[in-house]
Amino acid sequence: MSSAYRGDETLAQLLAQAGLPQTPADIRSLVAGVLAAPEGEDSDGWMVLVGARVPEDLAGQLRALKAEIAAGRVADAPDYAARIAALRGVLARADLDGFIVPRGDEHQGEYVPPRAQRLAWLTGFTGSAGHAVVGRQRAAIFVDGRYTLQVQTEVSGDLYEYRHLVDDPLTEWVGEALPQGGRLGYDPWLHTAGWVERTRQQLERVGLSLVPCPDNPVDCVWTDQPPPPLAPVVAQDLPFAGDSAADKRARIAGDLTRNGIGAVVLTQPDSIAWLLNLRGADVPCTPLPLSFAILKDDAQVDLFIDCRKLAPGVESHLGNQVAVRAPDELGAALDGLGREGRKVMADPASTSAWIFDRLHMAGAKLERDPDPCALPKACKNEAELAGTRAAHIRDGAALVRFLHWLSQEAPSGTVSEIEAADRLLAFRRANDRFRGLSFDTIAGAGPNGAIVHYRVSEATDRRLEPGSLFLLDSGAQYQDGTTDVTRTIAIGAPTPEMRERFTLVLKGHIAISTARFPRGTTGSQLDTLARLPLWSLGLDYDHGTGHGVGSYLSVHEGPQRISKVPNSVALQPGMILSNEPGYYKTGAYGIRIENLIVVQPLDLPMAERPMLGFEVLTLAPIDRNLVEPALLTQAEIAWLNAYHTQVRETLEPRLAGEGDAAVTHWLRQATSPIID
């Protein structure tokens, strides 16, 4: 139990005694940023930002100060009517007829820090995709089909009209809601250059103009907006990274030189983390240090990051060819590139319009190309692959322990979705090198499993009832790899229809796992293989079959994917993807089977061209109670039996060595052969 905070004077004395230069005001500012970042697995991990060695008496006061500041940040119940009214006042003074509020930040990332959650603050909507438009008289919120029910629960229909993100084009609503000749404002930091160009053209057709706002109007009325997050940034050690940051910088710089490009502006934190072998914790579930960087053709890098986030030793790790600069120096650095007359690369799909505008005004020669780090980051080296295999063994053992526990507890009908998710997290936390979840666990019982991106809450929590299916999609971040696995589990006896649909999904899953294809093949060309068994009965699923996965980075990584959506990026050795076909019966149940797979070269004696295939990384039993052997071919049965043999032979020694006799016995049963 931590002691009470004894005041700034005591803190100042303890800092001085420890030989640390910070003042209490510095520490308070630091703690505010720490509280704006996710709580890590190590609740004291942030103290490394105070000093490499913090004496226990000082540590106790730091804990107490953090607790005191956190307690003082409890907010009153939000008054969304007052917030939209205040925003409209700002718009009127700025001569704007409307303003668009996206769910996103300056990096266009999947996860955003509290400071960037403007859409949630203004409207109450907490989903992962959407935007709102606030006009002088009318306002609307646009979300996709995943959030049709959620938005009606979270957002007042008296304040906002509900619109579909795809079916109801933004420009149509804006054209009706804003006056002819009206001005729609936007924050150029929060939209890509491509979005601005498309939207400006569409608005001009209906007599409206799109106006950049130098200051975000929402920030003007959000009086208690959190500061930027401050979580420790640490080096990703070479045994896990495989290649040094110097080698990576030289590799990308060489590509720039060969293409006559003087510099590239990097805005994706995962690209910067990969390039410089850094990891952070500024956003949930993904070890990202939020930052920007400029890599020049001589392999030197300007890294724009709050230096308070750098753990001791990181600047030494970066070396003298990486200059650490304050985030607010980015504009001047872009101006410098323009003055030098350099050709500058930036990715229009992920770079904010603010950066493109600044480069254009500075006179830079713009080269619009994909992020040059994306493809080499996707192609894992041998050290990264060795790490992810090791992480999957540890993760698989945790999953088996959980599945054994579930087999004992679920038949009673008393286990809830939240309890199941928490128990799985506890098993994972016992693993070495565990750093957190790779995404919020999807634990869907019965009809909740039919909601593709379901997130359990106290309001939606269901019990796992006998005769139902339980869809569990989860993953973890380990220092040596990222996992993502889905298993669908029968609670009690499944119906014949459940077994049939599950087996059709399994057939598609096996088809991807066993695919052999020539170099140059894209994931889009393989996607049909996963759907054919379902299509034969007039069934399908409305999500992609597979996404890329990082190496202790984002669980959703490009540029590779397996999807109906056309993709020109060919699959290459070392790319990790998910293989997750599914089937969803609204109001009844959901089915998904997901393993991670890695592209590997194949040595086929009769092949006339280089061929590729997949190695399966995930190690977890597939529920045999849901398999209908009569629907499987002999080759498919052989694949399932061989996979289960691999799972058993890989995990059993680990489980047996830890004395889990009951779990080992369950694993043998769960992976026993299916005989047709």
Side-chain angles (χ1 to χ4, degrees):
M1 183 176 179
S2 61
S3 60
Y5 184 58
R6 300 199 298 272
D8 286 2
E9 185 175 344
T10 298
L11 179 62
Q13 293 172 353
L14 292 172
L15 289 167
Q17 290 170 10
L20 297 171
Q22 296 98 325
T23 67
D26 295 333
I27 298 298
R28 285 182 174 276
S29 177
L30 176 67
V31 169
V34 168
L35 289 170
E39 183 76 43
E41 289 297 308
D42 179 1
S43 60
D44 287 345
W46 66 276
M47 291 187 193
V48 72
L49 302 181
V50 177
R53 294 179 180 84
V54 176
E56 182 51 39
D57 52 353
L58 174 57
Q61 283 300 285
L62 292 173
R63 293 186 199 103
L65 176 60
K66 180 184 174 188
E68 181 179 283
I69 294 176
R73 292 162 60 97
V74 177
D76 296 331
D79 185 344
Y80 296 113
R83 290 176 181 181
I84 194 173
L87 178 59
R88 283 176 168 142
V90 173
L91 299 183
R93 291 189 291 275
D95 192 26
L96 293 171
D97 298 287
F99 184 73
I100 182 166
V101 183
R103 191 269 182 194
D105 67 357
E106 299 87 342
H107 306 279
Q108 320 300 321
E110 178 179 5
Y111 293 102
V112 299
R115 179 178 180 80
Q117 292 174 10
R118 297 175 178 88
L119 184 62
W121 179 85
L122 182 66
T123 69
F125 177 66
T126 61
S128 63
H131 56 248
V133 180
V134 176
R136 298 284 188 92
Q137 303 297 328
R138 296 168 59 187
I141 184 163
F142 297 76
V143 301
D144 63 33
R146 294 174 292 171
Y147 300 114
T148 302
L149 297 178
Q150 180 177 330
V151 73
Q152 295 177 28
T153 300
E154 295 181 335
V155 180
S156 169
D158 294 332
L159 299 177
Y160 295 90
E161 303 168 29
Y162 306 126
R163 291 292 183 269
H164 194 281
L165 195 60
V166 178
D167 298 341
D168 302 319
L170 168 71
T171 51
E172 287 187 10
W173 186 90
V174 172
E176 295 175 358
L178 271 59
Q180 187 67 21
R183 291 156 45 89
L184 177 66
Y186 73 97
D187 184 340
W189 274 109
L190 305 183
H191 301 272
T192 65
W195 179 92
V196 170
E197 291 162 0
R198 292 190 304 272
T199 305
R200 176 170 284 129
Q201 291 176 356
Q202 294 166 356
L203 290 178
E204 287 175 350
R205 295 192 193 108
V206 295
L208 301 173
S209 58
L210 189 64
V211 181
C213 298
D215 298 307
N216 191 304
V218 175
D219 296 353
C220 295
V221 298
W222 190 355
T223 56
D224 58 350
Q225 184 179 24
L230 293 174
V233 176
V234 299
Q236 177 73 337
D237 294 335
L238 189 59
F240 302 120
D243 295 323
S244 70
D247 287 344
K248 292 177 182 179
R249 288 190 287 103
R251 175 182 175 185
I252 304 300
D255 292 339
L256 297 179
T257 300
R258 283 186 288 275
N259 290 292
I261 295 170
V264 58
V265 181
L266 300 173
T267 66
Q268 295 295 285
D270 62 334
S271 289
I272 298 168
W274 172 84
L275 179 69
L276 300 179
N277 286 345
L278 297 175
R279 296 298 186 268
D282 284 336
V283 295
C285 301
T286 308
L288 298 181
L290 297 183
S291 55
F292 295 93
I294 297 173
L295 169 65
K296 299 175 183 176
D297 57 2
D298 61 0
Q300 295 197 54
V301 171
D302 287 332
L303 174 63
F304 301 89
I305 191 169
D306 190 328
C307 64
R308 292 179 297 170
K309 293 196 288 192
L310 302 182
V314 168
E315 292 197 57
S316 174
H317 159 80
L318 291 172
N320 58 16
Q321 283 200 305
V322 178
V324 177
R325 303 178 63 177
D328 60 10
E329 294 181 27
L330 175 61
L334 298 176
D335 295 342
L337 294 177
R339 286 194 301 270
E340 295 168 6
R342 286 176 174 262
K343 183 181 286 188
V344 181
M345 177 192 292
D347 187 343
S350 58
T351 302
S352 74
W354 187 93
I355 289 175
F356 272 94
D357 292 345
R358 188 77 178 233
L359 287 168
H360 178 73
M361 289 187 293
K365 302 171 185 176
L366 286 170
E367 188 77 15
R368 297 180 173 223
D369 276 314
D371 182 335
C373 296
L375 189 57
K377 172 168 59 69
C379 299
K380 310 299 184 288
N381 59 46
E382 286 304 316
E384 291 172 318
L385 290 178
T388 201
R389 291 185 187 104
H392 276 87
I393 292 173
R394 296 194 300 276
D395 203 59
L399 277 164
V400 168
R401 292 188 184 98
F402 167 80
L403 291 170
H404 167 255
W405 171 84
L406 191 68
S407 72
Q408 301 296 306
E409 301 296 329
S412 67
T414 61
V415 175
S416 70
E417 294 168 337
I418 290 177
E419 182 184 1
D422 288 346
R423 182 55 66 104
L424 177 55
L425 174 58
F427 282 121
R428 281 191 164 119
R429 274 192 168 131
N431 278 333
D432 294 337
R433 296 176 180 158
F434 177 77
R435 296 294 183 268
L437 296 179
S438 56
F439 57 96
D440 293 330
T441 297
I442 299 172
N448 287 344
I451 303 171
V452 175
H453 292 278
Y454 173 70
R455 292 292 184 271
V456 62
S457 67
E458 294 289 347
T460 64
D461 193 20
R462 290 179 62 93
R463 298 199 179 278
L464 281 56
E465 300 172 350
S468 69
L469 296 185
F470 178 48
L471 189 153
L472 185 65
D473 187 348
S474 67
Q477 295 284 8
Y478 298 95
Q479 188 180 8
D480 49 355
T482 301
T483 70
D484 180 2
V485 52
T486 307
R487 289 297 182 262
T488 305
I489 304 125
I491 308 300
T495 66
E497 180 188 89
M498 291 173 178
R499 288 168 57 88
E500 176 197 56
R501 304 295 160 88
F502 181 91
T503 306
L504 293 175
V505 172
L506 177 60
K507 288 170 73 71
H509 179 91
I510 294 172
I512 293 293
S513 298
T514 57
R516 296 178 174 184
F517 47 94
R519 280 184 179 266
T521 301
T522 68
S524 303
Q525 292 172 289
L526 300 182
D527 183 77
T528 301
L529 298 177
R531 300 179 191 270
L532 277 175
L534 289 165
W535 284 356
S536 67
L537 265 68
L539 309 172
D540 202 356
Y541 51 95
D542 295 326
H543 58 74
T545 299
H547 54 82
V549 177
S551 175
Y552 186 37
L553 277 173
S554 177
V555 76
H556 296 137
E557 178 181 85
Q560 75 276 23
R561 64 173 180 262
I562 303 174
S563 172
K564 287 181 180 179
V565 178
N567 183 10
S568 61
V569 177
L571 299 179
Q572 298 184 30
M575 285 182 169
I576 298 175
L577 301 104
S578 65
N579 171 13
E580 50 180 312
Y583 169 75
Y584 309 92
K585 186 173 183 178
T586 303
Y589 58 84
I591 295 168
R592 188 158 63 249
I593 305 170
E594 178 186 18
N595 284 346
L596 295 192
I597 52 180
V598 59
V599 181
Q600 294 283 21
L602 293 180
D603 183 13
L604 303 179
M606 304 298 291
E608 297 180 350
R609 61 192 64 193
M611 298 293 291
L612 302 173
F614 294 116
E615 170 195 347
V616 178
L617 297 170
T618 303
L619 297 164
I622 294 169
D623 192 348
R624 296 165 66 258
N625 296 319
L626 281 166
V627 177
E628 177 49 69
L631 296 178
L632 296 177
T633 66
Q634 289 299 315
E636 290 166 339
I637 291 173
W639 180 91
L640 182 59
N641 288 340
Y643 174 69
H644 275 157
T645 298
Q646 179 191 6
V647 170
R648 182 175 62 255
E649 292 180 349
T650 304
L651 298 183
E652 188 172 321
R654 182 181 182 90
L655 295 168
E658 296 175 0
D660 290 331
V663 177
T664 301
H665 178 71
W666 179 89
L667 175 63
R668 290 171 183 164
Q669 291 183 317
T671 57
S672 60
I674 286 180
I675 302 174
D676 186 15

